[in-house]
Amino acid sequence: LLDFFANGDPTRLSALRTKSLQLIVDAALFEPGRWKPADFVDYIKEIPVVDVERLESLLATPHGTLFNEIAKSPDVLTSCVIKILE
């Protein structure tokens, strides 16, 4: 999501002046998502995963979506934030 604003058309970033878009981006970034325990272990064995409940449990994180991005791929997140701030 941040990459969309950081690396695209400059008018995308200026669109964030709109309060309604700010609220949408805020909700997307800080939405906790589905929770799973840290010791949860399951693997994708077939694609596509047709069972919706199983798919949601596979996409869940133990800390929420933003924290998961910080933990798993901090370089992408920080580079986008730096580009936006420049």
Side-chain angles (χ1 to χ4, degrees):
L1 180 63
L2 289 179
D3 185 58
F4 175 81
F5 292 103
N7 295 313
D9 182 358
T11 58
R12 292 178 185 173
L13 192 56
S14 63
L16 284 174
R17 294 181 188 148
T18 309
K19 186 66 174 172
S20 60
L21 186 56
Q22 290 174 11
L23 293 172
I24 292 168
V25 171
D26 183 76
L29 288 177
F30 297 105
E31 188 272 327
R34 291 183 55 103
W35 182 85
K36 70 178 176 184
D39 61 351
F40 175 85
V41 178
D42 196 0
Y43 302 98
I44 298 174
K45 298 172 184 91
E46 62 183 41
I47 295 176
V49 178
V50 289
D51 181 8
V52 175
E53 270 190 45
R54 183 157 184 273
L55 177 63
E56 289 178 356
S57 71
L58 288 168
L59 296 176
T61 70
H63 304 292
T65 52
L66 180 62
F67 190 82
N68 191 62
E69 286 295 314
I70 293 168
K72 303 291 183 184
S73 57
D75 294 341
V76 174
L77 187 63
T78 54
S79 68
C80 288
V81 170
I82 289 169
K83 283 183 184 178
I84 288 172
L85 292 174
E86 289 176 338

